[in-house]
Amino acid sequence: MQKTSKFKRAIAFVALSAAAASAAALPTTPGNLLVSDLDAGVLNEYTRSGSLVQQFNIPAAGGYWHDLRDVVQGSDGQIHMFNGTFSPALTTLNPTTGAITNRTFEGWSTANNISYGGIAVQGNYAFVTDMFTYGGGEPSGIVRFDLTTGSAVRFAEGTNYDDLTLGLDGLLYAGLSVYDPIT
């Protein structure tokens, strides 16, 4: 996929567990693609053949610039987005109701490079990359958000990962490091 400084797309497969897929209230379809449009500030659901199914408007983090860096869908059907740069938000969209929740964390940021910023979801936790971006001892590492309580903690402090992912083995991968997302 081609990236330019003016347009960025983050793509996520709509992947639901068997339990979540059986809950008929979810408007996204398993196997479809979720594609963010940086310029428009929207999240689009497409079929694999390229037909647009629906769009969701996503608010800009900080209220001034759309910067959807990464998108994942949890097994409960909630869509989670790394949204922003120097003061990002974990934006959660309930596709059934259209409700949006934004969570922030003190010191969380990423470098102003459109390919930086990763998110992964495991159970009730969302994990995001956190990079050093200023010159005054700012924290960095990985931030874990508890999606139930809204609390967050930073771990792997002092690292500057630009992306992360959850492996099929259930482990969290960031650069050459591997973490157990439960502990």
Side-chain angles (χ1 to χ4, degrees):
M1 178 153 302
Q2 184 178 10
K3 291 184 182 178
T4 67
S5 61
K6 188 174 177 186
F7 185 74
K8 178 190 173 194
R9 292 181 181 191
I11 299 176
F13 286 97
V14 178
L16 305 175
S17 69
S22 66
L26 298 176
T28 55
T29 302
N32 281 354
L33 301 172
L34 296 173
V35 180
S36 68
D37 180 336
L38 174 64
D39 288 338
V42 297
L43 185 64
N44 301 300
E45 180 184 1
Y46 290 97
T47 64
R48 288 190 180 220
S49 63
S51 297
L52 178 65
V53 176
Q54 62 184 328
Q55 282 187 328
F56 301 99
N57 290 317
I58 306 302
Y64 65 93
W65 184 251
H66 297 287
D67 206 355
L68 302 176
R69 295 182 169 275
D70 204 359
V71 179
V72 295
Q73 188 165 27
S75 61
D76 62 356
Q78 302 291 305
I79 299 169
H80 306 282
M81 293 159 273
F82 189 126
N83 188 7
T85 303
F86 299 117
S87 297
L90 169 62
T91 300
T92 300
L93 166 68
N94 179 328
T96 302
T97 65
I100 291 178
T101 303
N102 286 300
R103 296 174 179 94
T104 59
F105 186 67
E106 184 69 31
W108 174 30
S109 63
T110 193
N112 193 16
N113 178 319
I114 63 168
S115 66
Y116 289 179
I119 185 172
V121 172
Q122 170 72 14
N124 291 330
Y125 297 105
F127 301 87
V128 294
T129 56
D130 182 18
M131 299 181 80
F132 177 86
T133 54
Y134 301 109
E138 179 185 70
S140 62
I142 297 173
V143 176
R144 182 185 79 177
F145 287 91
D146 185 319
L147 299 172
T148 303
T149 67
S151 64
V153 296
R154 181 179 286 109
F155 68 96
E157 293 187 42
T159 60
N160 279 299
Y161 300 119
D162 56 25
D163 203 1
L164 53 75
T165 191
L166 190 69
L168 293 176
D169 57 4
L171 297 176
L172 186 65
Y173 291 85
L176 298 175
S177 302
V178 181
Y179 299 95
D180 182 337
I182 305 302
T183 61

